[in-house]
Amino acid sequence: MVWRPRLPQPPAQSGSAEGASPAVSAALDNEDILGEILLRLPALPSSLPCAGAVCKRWRRLVTDPGFLHRFRAHHGKAPLLGFFSHNRGKVAFTSVLDPPDRMPSARRFSLRLPKGSSIYDCRHGRVLVVTGGKPFSFLVWDPVSGDQCRLPLPPTSGGNNYMIDGTVVCAAGGQGHVHGACHSSPFRVVFLGHCGEQIVVWVYSSETGAWGDAISIMWLGPFDPDDFACCNTLVGNSIYWLFNESSMAILEFDLDRQCLATVDAPPEVIGLDPSVQDECQFLIMPAEGGELGFLILQGFNARIWKRKAKHDGDNGWLLGNTFKLRLPLKSWEHRYPSEIVGFAEDYNVVFIATGGGAVFIVHLESAQFKKLPQKLRYRTCYPFTSFCTPAPAVSLVPPAMREEVLLTHIEVVKDQELDLMVEDREMDRWDPMILEASMARDATSRGF
């Protein structure tokens, strides 16, 4: 008798789960239903690669361009991958996700720039960089695709121009378009500057490859660059900036109508005592219903105002949610003021740095938070959202998704009608895509 070792059996090509009920097996063998199941996986970097590692059939399905389009449209917004920061021309990326979704910053999301360069904005999967040198220049960078686009300077005139801020937005907005998956879509860059007694905006279009005409508004009183709060916020189709002067003014640029306007701040901050104002942090944010919101953070106490149209047509502010940040800090850390260092408008989460250097991501509607394991080395961070699949390098290939793991997220009913049930068993990983469901179930929770 000759002994022959038993060769390992290849995985089933059908993707069916051994021992599963007949209804489940039939569903996994039905490509239409399987596609609907995989469509509902979390929009995180490892989800589709793990599913594609099960078998060739699943890999073919999750890499199909039509499926990817439906996958992004189903989720509606790209996941929050992490944030960028810069120091002395070096751009660094920090992931806010846990393995296996954590992005390898050194491999893909790193960029070396001349000394004096700085990041000005991250939005819709792109990064806006102002490169150092004389004269300076703009660089629009897509970290996922690696594409870079250098822009000419706006047609400023005279020698008394001062750059205040810049921002990048996706120019596509048709039906079914999902920001963060628009690597080949046109974009616009908005340059905000100061010239004499005027605030001026120029808009660059990647479709025309040129800057538009100057759009200006008179600015009453002397302009001090230190009065400008550099964080810009996109609410609807308008960009907002906060000028942290004694009168606290908000500047609005309507991208559709291409016009500038000023907006009155909430009554609480108008004429605020300077000593109290120095103790507060302010942020423009989207509010419920697509309205304009305004966050006041005083120490660890937060108040959110909402701007709402009155019946007589006059817009006013209403005080909405108020809460206290109950962060797990040491006793001595409470003596130092918290500081807003970044804001992700798509998820309405704010990055808050404490006196000890710890960084927390706080959801402004629920006050839920996550503490990042890393300490912030720089003062400002720029949150980055994008659909991203890790490169198919051998060292980065994730383990195959076990079919029983997939089946814990689904329930197939008779007649092959799909009833998806996402179980929130891993909320300690802070999955932003199911945060809203978690908040509804546990409104009193203050941590993961």
Side-chain angles (χ1 to χ4, degrees), residues 169-197:
V169 295
C170 178
Q175 185 176 5
H177 178 80
V178 179
H179 294 308
C182 41
H183 306 292
S184 59
S185 299
F187 62 86
R188 287 181 285 185
V189 171
V190 178
F191 175 99
L192 180 68
H194 176 254
C195 182
E197 298 179 352

Side-chain angles (χ1 to χ4, degrees), residues 40-51:
R40 289 159 172 80
L41 292 174
L44 296 174
S46 69
S47 294
L48 296 185
C50 285

Side-chain angles (χ1 to χ4, degrees), residues 331-412:
S331 57
W332 63 269
E333 291 181 303
H334 284 276
R335 298 195 297 265
Y336 296 91
S338 56
E339 183 178 3
I340 297 175
V341 295
F343 179 60
E345 59 203 12
D346 290 340
Y347 287 94
N348 224 4
V349 296
V350 63
F351 289 68
I352 295 179
T354 62
V359 180
F360 291 85
I361 308 178
V362 181
H363 190 270
L364 293 177
E365 297 298 329
S366 67
Q368 290 185 318
F369 62 85
K370 174 184 178 180
K371 182 180 180 181
L372 298 183
Q374 313 92 337
K375 290 188 176 182
L376 185 66
R377 294 178 294 171
Y378 314 121
R379 183 176 180 181
T380 306
C381 63
Y382 299 86
F384 180 72
T385 58
S386 181
F387 288 96
C388 182
T389 300
V394 175
S395 59
L396 299 180
V397 173
M401 178 180 292
R402 299 192 309 274
E403 291 163 358
E404 60 267 24
V405 174
L406 178 66
L407 294 176
T408 61
H409 294 275
I410 64 172
E411 185 178 274
V412 181

Side-chain angles (χ1 to χ4, degrees), residues 323-324 326-328 366-369 442-448:
F323 57 91
K324 184 178 181 64
R326 304 187 182 277
L327 306 180
S366 67
Q368 290 185 318
F369 62 85
D442 189 7
T444 61
S445 175
R446 287 299 179 269
F448 300 113

Side-chain angles (χ1 to χ4, degrees), residues 6 14 18 31 45 59 79 89 92 115 118 124 126-127 144 164 186 188 193 218 244 283 285-286 327 353-354 395 442:
R6 177 176 294 180
S14 65
E18 184 178 355
E31 195 149 308
R59 182 163 60 251
K115 186 177 181 180
S118 57
H124 299 162
R126 291 184 173 96
V127 182
V144 174
I164 303 175
R188 287 181 285 185
M218 293 295 297
N244 193 9
L283 178 71
M285 54 173 283
L327 306 180
T354 62
S395 59
D442 189 7

